[in-house]
Amino acid sequence: MRAEGGEWRGDGLTVARQAPGAWSYVAEGGKCAQGKGCSAPGETEAREAARPALTALGLAGAEVGADEVRGTSRVVEADPEVDGLPTDGWSTRLQLASGGEVVGGTGRLDVPRTATGDRYPVRSAADALAALNEGAGKDGTAVPVSRARFGLAARTREGQPVLVPAWLFSVPSQSATLAQTAIDERHLGSGEPRHPGGPSSAGPGATSRSVPPVSYAVAGRELSLRFTGGVCARYRAHAEEKGGQVRVHLTEEKEPGKVCVMIAKDLTRSVTLDRPLGDRTVVTTAGKAVPAA
């Protein structure tokens, strides 16, 4: 392995030097590395072939799915449990081809432990679903869900990935799970590294809501989101990378009672992905596709 900027690289493997060590792997050799002369294995075969790698990563007891096929490989996805709670956005994904050959993958080297000390009020599933629908856009279409589970979702706090309480909504029409934070997102701070003595969140009583991005641009692993916002609000952005999608979340925070001129302007916020976007689709919190700029 060799150090390049903030990453370790070698033999098709890239690992972030900063914990929790997001990693990606692309096979550089092997029979099926180029996708020629191979076919995607069945679900049972893929699960069995992935078991040793998942065990080595500490995911032996994780919830595993294997229904996604990408070209000549099948994706095995493992979502860890933390203190008995399901997680979203902290997946390990392995791409397996014929004969159980691993041809790619992404994940993190560590599963976070439960933090103690901080306590926050939790919103109900109904309130979380209302917030999710508010962020769906201006057409007023509600997100049809079939199930709600209380769990943990990947978010960013002070520039670091964390798992926070969230409601996980199953959406059959999209074969997807949408996560909506179960605590007021102002408790997560600005989403940027905090400077000593600087503020970490909006003031007491601040309100927050989701804002759908208008378009996106990408350069390497940097994903820039363009949207329309007010001049006196604060905006944070984070992304969940899962399957062939990158789900982006924009949150607006306002101080109640603050006098502010009513002017809207074009704004941009950026997030750094675990790996280049590639052919993945960028979608809103509610699962709607975001067009490229």
Side-chain angles (χ1 to χ4, degrees):
M1 300 288 283
R2 63 186 183 279
E4 292 186 7
E7 300 172 332
W8 292 101
R9 293 176 177 269
D11 298 327
L13 180 65
T14 301
V15 182
R17 299 174 69 176
Q18 184 176 9
W23 61 267
S24 63
Y25 172 71
V26 178
E28 297 179 342
K31 176 184 175 183
C32 300
Q34 304 302 320
K36 298 178 180 179
C38 295
S39 59
E43 290 192 30
T44 301
E45 179 186 353
R47 286 172 183 265
E48 288 301 315
R51 189 184 304 276
L54 295 179
T55 299
L57 290 167
L59 297 170
E63 182 177 333
V64 177
D67 57 352
E68 180 184 349
V69 174
R70 300 190 66 182
T72 59
S73 65
R74 182 175 292 275
V75 177
V76 175
E77 183 171 18
D79 293 299
E81 285 192 354
V82 177
D83 280 0
L85 293 176
T87 62
D88 182 79
W90 209 275
S91 304
T92 290
R93 293 168 52 83
L94 300 175
Q95 289 180 242
L96 294 106
S98 300
E101 180 182 339
V102 179
V103 295
T106 59
R108 299 182 188 275
L109 293 180
D110 191 25
V111 176
R113 275 62 175 176
T114 302
T116 58
D118 292 341
R119 292 181 178 273
Y120 306 107
V122 176
R123 70 178 72 175
S124 68
D127 287 344
L129 182 58
L132 181 69
N133 285 324
E134 184 180 0
K138 298 180 179 179
D139 59 7
T141 302
V143 178
V145 303
S146 62
R147 183 187 182 192
R149 295 183 297 164
F150 188 76
L152 301 168
R155 294 292 186 266
T156 300
R157 183 176 187 180
E158 297 175 11
Q160 301 298 318
V162 294
L163 286 172
V164 302
W167 287 101
L168 310 181
F169 296 105
S170 299
V171 184
S173 61
Q174 300 177 24
S175 298
T177 297
L178 302 183
Q180 183 67 30
T181 305
I183 61 174
D184 192 325
E185 294 203 7
R186 67 187 175 88
H187 295 306
L188 298 180
S190 65
E192 301 172 353
R194 182 171 57 182
H195 298 285
S200 61
S201 66
T207 60
S208 65
R209 71 181 184 94
S210 296
V211 179
V214 175
S215 63
Y216 75 87
V218 64
R221 293 193 299 131
E222 194 78 3
L223 183 68
S224 299
L225 307 172
R226 188 173 67 84
F227 60 100
T228 301
V231 295
C232 294
R234 297 176 57 185
Y235 296 91
R236 295 185 296 102
H238 64 269
E240 300 172 48
E241 301 175 57
K242 190 173 185 179
Q245 290 186 339
V246 173
R247 192 176 301 274
V248 294
H249 305 273
L250 279 168
T251 303
E252 176 188 78
E253 295 176 346
K254 288 184 177 180
E255 298 287 351
K258 184 177 181 179
V259 178
C260 181
V261 60
M262 297 296 290
I263 296 178
K265 63 178 182 178
D266 289 336
L267 299 172
T268 301
R269 291 294 182 273
S270 297
V271 294
T272 301
L273 303 178
D274 291 338
R275 59 187 174 93
L277 179 64
D279 59 359
R280 292 181 293 174
T281 304
V282 179
V283 299
T284 66
T285 297
K288 296 187 176 182
V290 180

